[in-house]
Amino acid sequence: MSLSFNVTPSQRRSKLINSIDAQGFVRIIEAHNGLSALVGQTASFERDGHSITYDGFWESSLTDSASKGLPDAEIVGNPSRLHTIDEILSVTSKPMIVDGDTGGSDVQFEYFVRDLERLGVSAVIIEDKIFPKRNSLDASANQTLEDPDAFARKIVRGREARVTDVFMVIARLESLIAGLGIEDAVMRAKKYIDSGVDGIMIHSKQDSPDEVIEFANLYDELCKPFGRRPILVCVPTTYNLITDAELAKYGFNVIIHANHLLRAAHKAMLDTSEVILSNDRGFEAEPWCVALPKVFAQVGFDQVKSKDREASKTQRLSVVIPAAGKDPIFNEGPKSLIEINSKPILRHQIETIRKVGINQIVVVRGYQGEQFDRFSDESGLVFCDNPQYLDTHSIHSLFCADQYLGNGFVLAFSDVLFSDDILRWLIDTENDIVLAVDNSYRYHRHEIDKNLDLVVTREGRTGHHRSLYPVKKKVEITRMGKNVSMEKADYEFTGLAYFSEEGARIVHQVYRDCLENVHESFHEADSFAKATISDFVQEIINRGFSVHGLEVYKGWMEVHNQMDIEVASKELRSDLVGS
Ligand code: SPV
Ligand code: MG
């Protein structure tokens, strides 16, 4: 998962203010490391048909310190904080507000703002206490407030260090925490707004929300002389009966749930460690723990495994190109070696196959087979021979490469140019036998002067909808052959087909059986020896196996005559097909 949440620093930075503008308020969850951030990134709850999620993260000084086993007293320095912040940002895409404590000295604050903005953080909140501060929620801790004018100057210095207007410097009023009352908070708020601050956070450690509501009720009025209303922030840790929606109604724009993920994890850790000791084993602790697959899924291990599987599937596959036949039109040599833009078709095919990462290519030679010698140094390319090329057809040629089919393979006609996308989509399919089929032949059928391999499907041909994305629809093939009427046909076979390991096992079994038992005509062929891929696919379907079609539209071309060569060479020059 963690790799999927990708965003640039500038995209992320502006998300906070955009969400506030769009929704009126944002709901922020604390994060103290990559895992807690992933929880905050993905958590959601369905209510009345709407999915409720967190809008961003609070990188809390309390939980950052506690997760390092340290007290919240400005002991964890900026380099360490920045490291944790970057850890969270690197696995998520939601915006972040950083708890900047007192900000340190003016100069320290300037550098901190510079670093946070560069990383893509949206806002920093600094509190108007004297460095080194003590956590605000501990009733017995000493709370000494900063001179408000000195703090206002720090705000100015921080804002001047920004590069963009999007990054926000927010002032946190600690008057209520220090017991100085609402008048002190209002006096300080005015000074900070006058200094240009982008937001005001009013903090309280009371169980009741009354005093922050009182401040919120005064807020619009106190902002009026300045002609702007900086966003209003609260942290309802102690007054936690009031809902986010209610706080938003009182005018709060940012509501921070400041330490819950760390406290939840801490409680589970305490209980779990005790349960293991008391039972002398781990079994009883399981209810306190998530199952490991959940951890794997959350941190993206599932994707790593599926990519590994994909990569090894590609490496194990072969592409088999039956190129043994003698073409009635181009009969000066194997059709594979016809040059398009000074490169044989086979060379174009090899380049496309390599782009997809398939190493093994098997060419079945026959007619003028020695002409392929020029490829003999090509690494990963092997040759098989079909000496009976005059009396046999493509299925016989394919099985001349029998030893290379077992791990799964792609069959590619020797006269077809195709894009790497089509090849990639084919091998990405989860079905065992999949043919790339094109739905555009009806539009150009008046130009067609040859028998196509036509395909009828269970679903019927789909219409074209304009779309930015290439079509990757799958259909089930029920009938295939050159004698299928053009009216009934839904698609044309492109000459590219994928067979998984299981698909290879099926074709092998059907082939062996037909070889032994078919002695007369075979579908549209006079004999099994002359069977084409269409005949064979029809046989597979008749035996009850599923054969799928992957609908493609453009991205391939069969070289059938001189005109095709001209069209292909033009398209290849403009980079439309293949290389
Ligand atoms: C934090 O989360 O570190 C805060 C909020 O500063 S509080 O702990 O409530 O002061
Ligand atoms: Mg803090």
Side-chain angles (χ1 to χ4, degrees), residues 40-259:
Q41 172 80 35
T42 53
S44 76
F45 183 77
E46 292 294 318
R47 186 184 298 142
D48 306 331
H50 294 287
S51 148
I52 303 167
T53 55
Y54 292 104
D55 299 294
F57 303 110
W58 167 242
E59 208 278 333
S60 147
S61 65
L62 166 62
T63 68
D64 187 331
S65 310
S67 68
K68 294 177 173 69
L70 292 168
D72 181 23
E74 295 196 279
I75 293 165
V76 179
N78 285 352
S80 170
R81 295 290 303 279
L82 288 164
H83 190 274
T84 307
I85 288 163
D86 194 36
E87 174 180 321
I88 294 169
L89 295 179
S90 72
V91 296
T92 58
S93 62
K94 292 185 175 179
M96 179 189 281
I97 303 170
V98 166
D99 175 359
D101 289 328
T102 64
S105 71
D106 292 358
V107 175
Q108 281 171 321
F109 186 47
E110 285 173 326
Y111 277 88
F112 199 43
V113 165
R114 196 265 320 254
D115 289 336
L116 295 177
E117 186 181 31
R118 177 173 48 78
L119 288 174
V121 169
S122 304
V124 63
I125 300 185
I126 50 170
E127 57 196 273
D128 54 0
K129 287 199 294 226
I130 300 269
F131 174 90
K133 68 90 207 245
R134 300 290 182 255
N135 181 271
S136 307
L137 297 183
D138 187 333
S140 58
N142 255 356
Q143 306 291 352
T144 325
L145 297 204
E146 176 64 278
D147 168 64
D149 294 312
F151 191 72
R153 282 195 295 277
K154 199 188 300 192
I155 290 166
V156 172
R157 291 279 291 269
R159 291 187 84 250
E160 281 172 358
R162 303 174 309 165
V163 177
T164 68
D165 288 343
V166 178
F167 184 86
M168 292 185 278
V169 174
I170 298 172
R172 161 171 166 176
L173 306 172
E174 289 284 302
S175 308
L176 303 178
I177 298 288
L180 295 176
I182 210 99
E183 296 75 25
D184 187 72
V186 168
M187 177 272 290
R188 287 169 176 271
K190 286 179 181 167
K191 283 189 192 279
Y192 305 157
I193 295 172
D194 196 32
S195 75
V197 85
D198 301 286
I200 293 285
M201 169 179 154
I202 179 73
H203 203 15
S204 162
K205 58 174 185 288
Q206 287 192 1
D207 293 346
S208 144
D210 291 352
E211 60 181 13
V212 298
I213 292 173
E214 190 185 345
F215 182 84
N217 287 336
L218 298 171
Y219 191 61
D220 285 4
E221 206 50 42
L222 78 84
C223 287
K224 265 201 186 128
F226 304 98
R228 64 191 188 90
R229 182 190 181 279
I231 57 169
L232 189 58
V233 183
C234 65
V235 177
T237 305
T238 49
Y239 51 98
N240 55 11
L241 285 174
I242 190 164
T243 65
D244 292 353
E246 285 166 338
L247 286 166
K249 274 202 200 121
Y250 286 112
F252 286 100
N253 309 103
V254 178
I255 299 158
I256 300 175
H257 297 280
N259 47 44

Side-chain angles (χ1 to χ4, degrees), residues 314 317-319 353-354 356-361 410 423 427:
T314 311
L317 280 182
S318 313
V319 175
I353 293 164
R354 295 281 186 251
V356 177
I358 300 178
N359 186 40
Q360 175 126 292
I361 302 172
V410 172
L423 190 52
I427 61 183

Side-chain angles (χ1 to χ4, degrees), residues 315-489:
Q315 280 151 22
R316 284 153 50 89
L317 280 182
S318 313
V319 175
V320 183
I321 306 173
K326 179 175 174 189
D327 190 78
I329 299 177
F330 302 101
N331 49 17
E332 305 94 63
K335 210 170 167 188
S336 252
L337 301 179
I338 293 172
E339 299 213 336
I340 297 178
N341 294 351
S342 320
K343 250 194 253 178
I345 294 176
L346 180 59
R347 170 60 59 203
H348 289 287
Q349 290 179 323
I350 292 171
E351 285 172 6
T352 306
I353 293 164
R354 295 281 186 251
K355 275 192 202 168
V356 177
I358 300 178
N359 186 40
Q360 175 126 292
I361 302 172
V362 187
V363 174
V364 183
R365 299 178 295 197
Y367 176 59
Q368 296 194 10
E370 68 288 348
Q371 288 213 35
F372 285 97
D373 287 353
R374 68 174 104 159
F375 284 90
S376 53
D377 289 338
E378 183 79 30
S379 93
L381 184 72
V382 293
F383 292 107
C384 295
D385 291 301
N386 175 8
Q388 293 154 324
Y389 63 89
L390 283 177
D391 306 315
T392 60
H393 213 293
S394 46
I395 283 302
H396 188 80
S397 279
L398 176 65
F399 279 89
C400 291
D402 201 3
Q403 59 179 305
Y404 297 103
L405 308 184
N407 291 335
F409 65 96
V410 172
L411 168 70
F413 283 2
S414 64
D415 55 358
V416 172
L417 296 167
F418 46 87
S419 71
D420 49 319
D421 278 342
I422 293 190
L423 190 52
R424 214 172 271 121
W425 296 340
L426 258 185
I427 61 183
D428 277 351
T429 57
E430 272 139 33
N431 302 98
D432 292 316
I433 304 178
V434 188
L435 278 52
V437 294
D438 189 281
N439 68 6
S440 66
Y441 81 98
R442 285 185 180 216
Y443 303 115
H444 57 78
R445 69 178 174 212
H446 56 281
E447 308 160 4
I448 294 171
D449 56 352
K450 59 164 268 191
N451 282 342
L452 304 177
D453 293 296
L454 294 179
V455 164
V456 182
T457 62
R458 197 173 297 290
E459 296 81 355
R461 186 176 61 97
T462 52
H464 288 299
H465 300 287
R466 274 177 191 242
S467 167
L468 199 56
Y469 303 99
V471 176
K472 276 196 265 179
K473 185 172 179 272
K474 248 184 291 154
V475 287
E476 192 174 347
I477 296 176
T478 52
R479 168 114 174 74
M480 182 170 177
K482 291 187 193 304
N483 295 343
V484 171
S485 94
M486 279 195 174
E487 294 316 310
K488 289 218 177 93

